[in-house]
Amino acid sequence: MAAGNVNPFNLSDSDEEAEQRLDEAIDTKRSPSDGTPGPPPGNPFSPPADAEPPALLLSSNRTSPSVEGISVSATAATAMAGSTDTRLSVDLIASQLLRDQYILTALEFHTELLEAGRELPRLRDYFSNPGNFERQSGTPPASKDQVLGPGGPLNRAGSISTLDSLDFARYSDDGNRESDERVAVLEFELRKAKDTIQALRANLTQAAESEVSSQERKNFKSSPEIQEPIRSLEKRALNFLVNEYLLKSDYKLSAITFSDENDDQDFELWDDVGLNIPKPPDLLHLYRNGGCGPPSPRDTVDVAVGGDSAETNLNSQEQQRKFDLQQQTEVVQELEYQISLLSSEKDSLAEQIRKLQSEIQTLRKSVSSPPPAPLDLGSQPRPDAPSSSDPSQPQAPPQPPLDNGQYLDIRGSSDADVPPAVVPSEPPTQITTHHAKLKTRVPIQFDQPNRKLSPAFQQALLSFCKMSSDSRLGAEVSRIADSEESVTLMLGRCLPHIVPNVLLAKRERMVAHLCQELIPLILCTACLHPEPKERDQLLHILFNLIKRPDDEQRQMILTGCVAFARHVGPTRVEAELLPQCWEQINHKYPERRLLVAESCGALAPYLPKEIRSSLVLSMLQQMLTEDKADMVREAVVKSLAIIMGYIDDPDKYPQGFELMLLSLGDPSERVVSAIHQVFIPAFAAWTTELGFLQSTLMPALLSRIEKLLKQGEHGLDEHKLHMFLSALQSLIPPLFSVVLQNAPFTSRARLQGDIPAIEVTRFPRPASPLQDVATIIGSRETLGVLLALYDHQLEHEGTTGWGSMLWVVNQLLPQLIDIVGRINVTSSTCVHEFSRFFWRLCRTFGKIFTNTKVKPQFQEILRLSEENVDALTGDGILTKATVPIYATGVLTCYNQEDDRKLLVGFLEDVMTTLSLSHAPLDSLKASFIELGANPVYHELLLTVLWYGVVHTSALVRCTAARMFELLVKGVNETLVAQRVVPALITLSSDPEISVRISTIPAFGTIMETVTQKELLERVKMQLASFLEDPQYQDQHSLHMEIIRTFGRVGPNAEPRFRDEFVLPHLHKLALVNNSQTAESKRIDIATQLFEAYSALSCCFISEELMVNHFLPGLRCLRADMEQLSPEHEGILSSMVRECEIKLENRGLGDAQGSVSIAASLVGEDAKTKFLSKMGQLTTSGAMLANVFQRKK
């Protein structure tokens, strides 16, 4: 028999047979050519020529586990000694040792080969296979000498995977130690191993028994309502993960309770879950990453590697691959089956959607006044709903829904649904007939408002009523049982959730949850109870169920109120629900008042219209006026908006207008935001139907703005102006909708063929869905068709006969432009507000409207032409706010190349015209400030200024230099270095001294804002040339501008620039001013120096600078003040004295930190005098001159 086919567990071989096979193997391994022994060809494991004879390996000092081992070893040695050159194969020796069960000797042999770096595959495979060390169930040993064979002590436990875990230190080297203690230990381990194996086999058996077949799994997936039962293995894995999560989250009591309820599982050991089951990540990781649960037993396969031969291993691997391939094929088939199911379901739903849309269109055409839109809470319509739009099929009776059709569900309603059928209230004496009539409910007729809102707008308006039906409890609340049978079903669903909370209701949170669970029971009882008094008590309990309900709890109560209202009808809503709201209107908790405010809006569609426009409106008006909580007033505004969506009494228009003005003036931003997002669009929709939008509402706001401007000649109330103008801005989308819907082309609009797409940037971003023009019109498809006709009408046919558009062009625009000309151009807030208004107006009405209707009216008023230059005065139109608003609100609406060129040309013309006419530059400055706030226009503004830099007129160049000061603060340093500084240096060398002086403020601003050292050095050199060049010594205007700039930028400039440049030059200027002969110039310089030193006194000044520059400069200025204004001499003397004290303290080491002159004056008599004089100095130029006049 070949060595590779030796069976190590064949115990029937005798010693003679072993010796015979050994001799035969030796003879077959000899070389046939020369008779010398040699290694077998192709055997890489044969020993080299210089290695020790194999007999030495067998003659180890370790004792074999049997007596026969000695004789066999000797026999082998004798055979080897018979021929000194005979060599044996290492693999042959290993095979012989394994065949005769010399396990320890083979293990020693294997270890020595590993240490020599010559691993033998036969030994490696044998000792790595756990199957070789389990007790065999074959024939028992033939003799007592073989009791330590394969079933002996080496087979300790089935749980031992390899011989690496065997404790061979337990076996001594003398070969005769078999104590009773070792036998007892091994017998105990054997029993434990058998128990473990039995438990694991039981787990595998359970998993195999509970596994669901592939066909059954397909049935589960094809029928989603049938849930696949949980397997035992899955349950144990989930239990382990849940217990682990509870312990990590410190829910110790819950973990203990959970462990007690699952006493058949060991939660401390994952291996207790099942055999060969990898532990998944924790619950948090599974939730975040969508991780899978533990693999099912069907997906895990145990593969045992046999030790018989390599062919067995290959066969088992091939079988494993085939099994995996079969599994993957099953998975692919299941996924394909699921895809086919989903595709068919998708086609079915698409067909149902088409049928429902057709039904909606039919109902809209057949019903003149649509019913009140119920609160759609997001659920889908029933798939089996019959389509009424198919005339070929008879109208089938409605299919009974779940729960025997005895629930009123408000979740699945659509806009075209018929109002729900509910039972009117019955007298308490007719209880039996009351329940009998529940079987045949009479439809309740709700008051239908005479309104024409689009379904999209109405649905968007009702979406501001926050409902809750996504959860189990929300679904239970949103439907109300109307029979004894359905009540029983509801109780069966709700009580299991209520009872545990009753038992554990010790904390406030648990009590609140319990109260939520009671809501459907209270509502059901209040609906069905025959006694009005009891019903009133139940509704009182509902509104007082939770002391301070949070958002979720309020939504649950509101959902129940709406379900109740739809179930009982408007009469009982008025008689039973509204009194509960009225009682809570002045409750001390704002959450309860908030519930009242939200209830008024949610119940509005189900109330009688007289109550809607009288009692409810008055309640909300009272809360808006008196309530102090911002969130309550915000909810009141939203509920008022819903009321405006259902009100149809024209006499209530003045009250609605006053409510709008009252809300606009609210101090809370939340309330103002709600008025713009919800109330104004709903109010505008109503005024549009009344025909008041263009004739009453917008003219009323414009007249208030004009009145405000007339009253504000001595001080405009900018807050009220913003209030009225923002309301006008919110009315732009409704105004454009009126223009589209009343256009001559409206009758030609058809939703067929290719519908034009609407550009994403066609309209400004709406503040809410109610301000979206598509929502107001009805749909984006309708809007796309109307916009295409609108652009064609404006471009080719004009506005003849288009009344709503003519009102905008001939009345609204001229009035707005006139108002713009009267606002204060220096008020950046007003300029910004009107600029945003015109921008939104032009973007909403479109580019063609802007180019043909808006721009011509502005251009006609501005009259930018050369012949009008000389006629301009300080009160000309170019000095008004019309210029910045036209530039920033109209010319920036569109950002094409032609639009940018038009804006550049306009700004260049304005700069040239204002400069040549010596007019104030406030309008140009306002334009630069508004445009400079947006980095998109920085390059454009620099282009305009470069035009002024190279202009032939010195006046224009002076204006350009002064505009750089406004632009530097917002421009990035790269543009400052590349575009601004070169332009300013060019102007600083201008032949005209006035141009050079005009660059000083811009240079100062650069020193204040820029951080690049190279750039700062260039600017400092330029300023130094102004101060040190002899040609500027007598330039009084230049010195005044430099001192003013130093006082403005010094406190914020880089400390090094302030210390090395500003303070020394101020000292020099103060010293020179002492010798100034012209009194007027001396007064001007002293005034500017006083303001500059006052500003710089709050900065940190080092001791050296204090001694060398700051104190000497103050003393020079004090000398001027002694002659010009003796009352200021005391202030300066106090400042000098404090500086000297600080210097003395600093020298003694008692004072640390910065020198702050202004802070040192606190607490002294000089403070009052200083501040009073400073107040006089900053009042006006005339008073400054009087202050510094010499006393006579």
Side-chain angles (χ1 to χ4, degrees):
M1 183 183 294
N5 296 325
V6 173
N7 185 1
F9 298 101
N10 187 0
L11 305 178
S12 63
D13 292 339
S14 63
D15 295 339
E16 290 78 9
E17 292 174 342
E19 293 177 5
Q20 182 179 357
R21 283 197 300 268
L22 181 60
D23 295 337
E24 291 173 356
I26 294 172
D27 294 337
T28 56
K29 296 298 180 178
R30 289 204 178 102
S31 174
S33 59
D34 53 1
T36 60
N43 187 359
F45 299 102
S46 60
D50 56 349
E52 293 183 8
L56 296 178
L57 296 175
L58 296 176
S59 302
S60 174
N61 59 354
R62 292 180 180 265
T63 304
S64 300
S66 65
V67 179
E68 286 80 1
I70 302 175
S71 61
V72 172
S73 300
T75 304
T78 305
M80 295 294 294
S83 177
T84 56
D85 296 332
T86 301
R87 300 298 174 92
L88 279 180
S89 167
V90 177
D91 185 70
L92 192 62
I93 298 170
S95 174
Q96 181 67 27
L97 292 175
L98 294 178
R99 183 190 306 113
D100 293 331
Q101 290 299 301
Y102 302 138
I103 304 299
L104 294 182
T105 306
L107 180 61
E108 177 68 21
F109 188 32
H110 178 53
T111 304
E112 292 184 357
L113 287 177
L114 287 177
E115 292 175 353
R118 299 165 57 197
E119 184 180 28
L120 190 61
R122 179 184 299 277
L123 295 177
R124 179 196 61 200
D125 294 342
Y126 182 83
F127 289 118
S128 63
N129 187 2
N132 293 332
F133 306 102
E134 294 180 357
R135 179 180 296 277
Q136 302 298 319
S137 60
T139 307
S143 65
K144 64 177 182 179
D145 297 330
Q146 294 181 343
V147 294
L148 299 178
L154 290 179
N155 184 26
R156 294 172 59 198
S159 61
I160 299 174
S161 297
T162 64
L163 279 179
D164 296 338
S165 60
L166 287 176
D167 187 7
F168 285 104
R170 298 161 64 102
Y171 305 100
S172 66
D173 295 336
D174 54 8
N176 294 318
R177 188 174 180 182
E178 296 179 358
S179 64
D180 295 338
E181 179 183 358
R182 182 178 60 183
V183 173
V185 170
L186 292 177
E187 287 177 352
F188 173 78
E189 290 182 355
L190 181 59
R191 288 195 301 272
K192 292 290 292 183
K194 287 182 178 180
D195 294 340
T196 303
I197 292 173
Q198 190 65 26
L200 292 174
R201 287 176 178 172
N203 284 344
L204 289 176
T205 303
Q206 286 184 355
E209 289 176 353
S210 62
E211 184 178 11
V212 184
S213 66
S214 175
Q215 183 62 34
E216 290 176 346
R217 190 177 296 107
K218 290 183 179 180
N219 294 336
F220 290 138
K221 294 186 177 181
S222 62
S223 302
E225 67 274 4
I226 304 176
Q227 187 176 2
E228 181 178 355
I230 188 170
R231 303 186 184 97
S232 174
L233 181 64
E234 294 172 343
K235 179 180 178 182
R236 295 172 70 84
L238 289 176
N239 288 347
F240 187 89
L241 294 177
V242 169
N243 182 74
E244 182 183 46
Y245 168 77
L246 292 175
L247 291 176
K248 286 183 178 179
S249 303
D250 204 20
Y251 299 136
K252 296 181 180 179
L253 294 179
S254 301
I256 293 172
T257 305
F258 186 74
S259 178
D260 291 341
E261 291 176 349
N262 297 274
D263 55 357
D264 60 337
Q265 186 172 351
D266 184 5
F267 287 109
E268 295 182 358
L269 184 64
W270 168 257
D271 291 338
D272 183 69
V273 172
L275 183 64
N276 289 345
I277 303 299
K279 185 176 182 298
D282 57 15
L283 284 181
L284 180 61
H285 187 274
L286 291 175
Y287 174 77
R288 289 178 176 172
N289 301 298
C292 302
S296 63
R298 187 176 67 88
D299 300 329
T300 60
V301 179
D302 293 334
V303 179
V305 181
D308 295 340
S309 64
E311 295 179 1
T312 306
N313 296 337
L314 292 176
N315 292 335
S316 62
Q317 293 177 5
E318 183 66 25
Q319 292 177 0
Q320 176 65 23
R321 282 196 294 269
K322 290 182 180 179
F323 186 74
D324 292 341
L325 180 61
Q326 182 181 0
Q327 280 188 320
Q328 294 173 3
T329 305
E330 289 182 4
V331 172
V332 171
Q333 291 175 354
E334 291 178 9
L335 291 176
E336 290 176 350
Y337 182 70
Q338 187 176 4
I339 290 173
S340 64
L341 289 177
L342 292 175
S343 299
S344 61
E345 184 179 358
K346 173 189 171 186
D347 297 337
S348 175
L349 291 176
E351 180 65 26
Q352 292 168 13
I353 290 173
R354 285 194 295 271
K355 288 182 180 180
L356 291 174
Q357 289 176 345
S358 176
E359 183 180 355
I360 290 172
Q361 294 295 333
T362 304
L363 289 175
R364 286 178 184 169
K365 293 178 182 178
S366 61
V367 181
S368 59
S369 59
L375 300 180
D376 189 359
L377 302 181
S379 62
Q380 297 294 330
R382 287 176 49 241
D384 57 348
S387 173
S388 62
S389 60
D390 191 355
S392 62
Q393 298 180 357
Q395 186 69 27
Q399 297 293 329
L402 297 176
D403 299 320
N404 300 324
Q406 296 173 358
Y407 284 98
L408 177 63
D409 196 343
I410 70 170
R411 296 172 297 151
S413 305
S414 62
D415 292 330
D417 286 343
V418 180
V422 289
V423 180
S425 58
E426 298 290 338
T429 58
Q430 301 176 352
I431 299 177
T432 56
T433 58
H434 172 82
H435 289 289
K437 290 183 179 181
L438 286 174
K439 301 293 184 180
T440 57
R441 296 185 309 225
V442 179
I444 292 296
Q445 296 297 327
F446 290 94
D447 289 337
Q448 309 298 331
N450 186 19
R451 298 295 299 274
K452 300 177 182 178
L453 294 177
S454 69
F457 186 88
Q458 195 171 27
Q459 196 62 35
L461 180 61
L462 291 174
S463 67
F464 287 92
C465 290
K466 298 179 181 179
M467 296 293 159
S468 175
S469 67
D470 297 334
S471 62
R472 174 198 61 80
L473 187 58
E476 204 65 61
V477 171
S478 61
R479 55 184 185 174
I480 295 179
D482 55 4
S483 70
E484 294 179 357
E485 181 181 358
S486 55
V487 170
T488 305
L489 294 174
M490 183 196 65
L491 289 174
R493 288 191 303 269
C494 294
L495 286 178
H497 299 280
I498 294 175
V499 173
N501 288 300
V502 173
L503 298 177
L504 299 175
K506 297 180 180 179
R507 301 179 183 176
E508 185 177 354
R509 185 178 60 181
M510 293 182 178
V511 173
H513 183 71
L514 174 62
C515 294
Q516 284 182 256
E517 296 287 349
L518 292 174
I519 292 176
L521 273 66
I522 295 174
L523 285 169
C524 175
T525 310
C527 284
L528 301 179
H529 203 286
E531 290 288 344
K533 186 175 181 180
E534 297 297 331
R535 294 200 300 266
D536 180 74
Q537 185 177 0
L538 287 169
L539 291 176
H540 180 76
I541 293 174
L542 176 66
F543 275 82
N544 294 272
L545 192 61
I546 304 173
K547 182 168 64 174
R548 306 185 73 165
D550 57 18
D551 289 343
E552 181 183 359
Q553 293 162 349
R554 287 197 310 275
Q555 291 174 18
M556 202 71 66
I557 296 174
L558 287 179
T559 305
C561 289
V562 171
F564 179 88
R566 296 190 61 183
H567 193 278
V568 302
T571 304
R572 283 184 59 182
V573 173
E574 176 188 355
E576 298 176 10
L577 269 183
L578 279 187
Q580 304 298 331
C581 295
W582 183 262
E583 289 178 3
Q584 306 271 342
I585 197 172
N586 292 317
H587 200 278
K588 64 177 181 178
Y589 292 134
E591 291 84 359
R592 300 281 279 274
R593 303 197 302 273
L594 182 59
L595 177 62
V596 173
E598 293 173 342
S599 299
C600 291
L603 295 174
Y606 311 102
L607 289 168
K609 61 181 181 179
E610 297 82 5
I611 298 298
R612 224 173 10 226
S613 58
S614 58
L615 177 61
V616 178
L617 193 62
S618 300
M619 289 172 58
L620 292 174
Q621 184 174 8
Q622 177 182 343
M623 296 182 71
L624 182 64
T625 307
E626 299 177 357
D627 206 293
K628 297 180 180 180
D630 295 349
M631 61 179 182
V632 176
R633 297 199 305 276
E634 179 187 12
V636 166
V637 168
K638 293 179 180 179
S639 295
L640 282 172
I642 297 175
I643 296 293
M644 293 301 156
Y646 283 90
I647 198 170
D648 56 2
D649 184 3
D651 295 337
K652 297 297 179 181
Y653 168 79
Q655 186 176 0
F657 184 74
E658 293 300 324
L659 287 172
M660 182 185 72
L661 296 181
L662 179 64
S663 303
L664 285 170
D666 196 279
S668 172
E669 293 184 1
R670 297 177 58 175
V671 178
V672 175
S673 176
I675 198 76
H676 289 294
Q677 293 179 4
V678 193
F679 183 88
I680 290 182
F683 186 62
W686 182 37
T687 56
T688 299
E689 296 181 23
L690 295 176
F692 290 171
L693 181 64
Q694 293 178 320
S695 63
T696 307
L697 179 56
M698 296 188 75
L701 291 173
L702 289 171
S703 64
R704 278 169 168 75
I705 293 176
E706 290 180 334
K707 182 179 179 181
L708 198 63
L709 293 175
K710 291 179 182 178
Q711 296 174 350
E713 294 179 356
H714 302 292
L716 180 63
D717 190 345
E718 295 184 354
H719 175 70
K720 285 189 176 180
L721 179 64
H722 166 73
M723 184 177 76
F724 296 138
L725 193 60
S726 62
L728 272 178
Q729 184 170 308
S730 297
L731 291 174
I732 292 176
L735 176 64
F736 183 64
S737 303
V738 169
V739 171
L740 285 180
Q741 291 172 334
N742 296 325
F745 53 77
T746 304
S747 59
R748 305 197 304 268
R750 295 290 183 271
L751 291 175
Q752 57 187 4
D754 294 335
I755 299 176
I758 304 175
E759 296 181 5
V760 178
T761 58
R762 171 60 180 83
F763 292 100
R765 188 173 183 177
S768 75
L770 295 177
Q771 289 191 1
D772 190 353
V773 180
T775 304
I776 300 174
I777 294 294
S779 67
R780 292 190 66 83
E781 292 77 12
T782 305
L783 179 60
V785 174
L786 291 176
L787 283 178
L789 297 173
Y790 168 80
D791 291 338
H792 182 271
Q793 180 83 19
L794 283 180
E795 191 171 5
H796 298 96
E797 301 180 17
T799 59
T800 304
W802 195 351
S804 56
M805 176 62 82
L806 291 175
W807 180 85
V808 175
V809 175
N810 299 331
Q811 297 186 37
L812 179 62
L813 282 177
Q815 191 173 2
L816 285 172
I817 294 174
D818 178 66
I819 290 174
V820 163
R822 285 187 278 166
I823 68 173
N824 185 8
V825 68
T826 59
S827 174
S828 59
T829 303
C830 295
V831 171
H832 177 75
E833 292 291 340
F834 274 97
S835 173
R836 293 299 90 194
F837 174 82
F838 272 96
W839 187 86
R840 283 191 170 270
L841 179 70
C842 295
R843 285 301 300 267
T844 303
F845 277 78
K847 188 171 185 179
I848 299 175
F849 175 85
T850 303
N851 292 334
T852 59
K853 306 300 179 184
V854 180
K855 290 181 181 178
Q857 294 198 32
F858 271 99
Q859 291 168 357
E860 182 182 358
I861 292 177
L862 293 173
R863 297 190 304 274
L864 289 172
S865 57
E866 292 294 334
E867 57 268 17
N868 292 328
V869 172
D870 297 334
L872 284 173
T873 61
D875 296 329
I877 189 66
L878 288 181
T879 63
K880 302 296 183 183
T882 310
V883 169
I885 291 172
Y886 174 60
T888 61
V890 178
L891 296 182
T892 61
C893 286
Y894 300 95
N895 203 23
Q896 303 296 329
E897 187 63 29
D898 295 339
D899 303 309
R900 296 176 70 89
K901 287 182 179 178
L902 184 61
L903 177 58
V904 169
F906 175 74
L907 292 176
E908 290 174 352
D909 292 342
V910 169
M911 182 170 63
T912 304
T913 305
L914 292 177
S915 302
L916 296 179
S917 60
H918 300 277
L921 301 176
D922 293 334
S923 60
L924 185 63
K925 290 180 179 179
S927 303
F928 270 73
I929 292 173
E930 186 70 19
L931 290 173
N934 190 348
V936 174
Y937 298 107
H938 287 171
E939 286 280 359
L940 184 145
L941 294 176
L942 289 172
T943 302
V944 174
L945 292 181
W946 185 253
Y947 166 82
V949 170
V950 299
H951 200 276
T952 56
S953 173
L955 295 173
V956 178
R957 297 198 298 273
C958 284
T959 301
R962 295 194 176 276
M963 291 299 107
F964 274 114
E965 178 188 358
L966 301 175
L967 193 59
V968 165
K969 290 185 177 180
V971 177
N972 62 67
E973 294 190 5
T974 302
L975 280 179
V976 172
Q978 295 177 356
R979 302 284 299 275
V980 176
V981 172
L984 288 175
I985 291 178
T986 301
L987 291 175
S988 64
S989 59
D990 195 89
E992 292 291 333
I993 186 65
S994 59
V995 177
R996 283 176 267 172
I997 294 174
S998 300
T999 62
I1000 294 175
F1003 279 126
T1005 304
I1006 293 175
M1007 298 299 298
E1008 186 180 13
T1009 57
V1010 174
T1011 59
Q1012 293 183 15
K1013 292 184 178 181
E1014 297 82 2
L1015 205 57
L1016 292 176
E1017 288 297 327
R1018 293 176 64 185
V1019 173
K1020 189 166 70 171
M1021 289 175 59
Q1022 187 60 49
L1023 291 175
S1025 66
F1026 285 145
L1027 290 167
E1028 298 170 2
D1029 197 327
Q1031 62 175 328
Y1032 300 119
Q1033 288 182 357
D1034 297 330
Q1035 292 295 331
H1036 177 73
S1037 300
L1038 184 142
H1039 293 160
M1040 288 282 293
E1041 193 66 52
I1042 286 180
I1043 297 173
R1044 187 182 301 112
T1045 301
F1046 282 173
R1048 176 173 59 87
V1049 305
N1052 301 321
E1054 187 185 17
R1056 182 180 175 186
F1057 171 71
R1058 180 175 62 243
D1059 296 343
E1060 297 180 0
F1061 191 82
V1062 174
L1063 291 177
H1065 283 93
L1066 282 178
H1067 177 204
K1068 292 180 182 178
L1069 290 170
L1071 189 61
V1072 171
N1073 196 50
N1074 287 152
S1075 58
Q1076 177 64 254
T1077 57
E1079 185 175 346
S1080 60
K1081 293 182 179 180
R1082 191 177 180 185
I1083 291 175
D1084 293 338
I1085 295 294
T1087 302
Q1088 295 300 327
L1089 283 173
F1090 184 83
E1091 293 181 356
Y1093 273 107
S1094 299
L1096 292 170
S1097 64
C1098 297
C1099 302
F1100 172 78
I1101 302 172
S1102 65
E1103 183 178 355
E1104 181 182 358
L1105 286 172
M1106 183 70 71
V1107 173
N1108 295 334
H1109 299 294
F1110 194 81
L1111 265 178
L1114 278 179
R1115 292 189 179 105
C1116 293
L1117 181 59
R1118 184 178 59 179
D1120 289 335
M1121 292 299 182
E1122 288 177 353
Q1123 301 179 17
L1124 299 174
S1125 181
E1127 63 269 20
H1128 288 79
E1129 186 270 337
I1131 298 175
L1132 289 172
S1133 298
S1134 177
M1135 292 171 66
V1136 172
R1137 185 169 58 253
E1138 292 298 329
C1139 290
E1140 293 173 347
I1141 293 174
K1142 292 294 182 182
L1143 285 176
E1144 294 176 0
N1145 292 336
R1146 231 184 253 184
L1148 296 175
D1150 296 334
Q1152 299 292 334
S1154 64
V1155 177
S1156 178
I1157 306 302
S1160 66
L1161 294 175
V1162 178
E1164 297 188 5
D1165 296 337
K1167 175 185 176 183
T1168 305
K1169 189 185 299 183
F1170 176 76
L1171 293 177
S1172 63
K1173 294 303 179 183
M1174 284 299 296
Q1176 295 176 7
L1177 290 174
T1178 56
T1179 52
S1180 65
M1183 294 186 69
L1184 284 176
N1186 294 332
V1187 168
F1188 289 104
Q1189 281 184 355
R1190 189 186 298 273
K1191 282 192 174 183
K1192 299 180 180 178

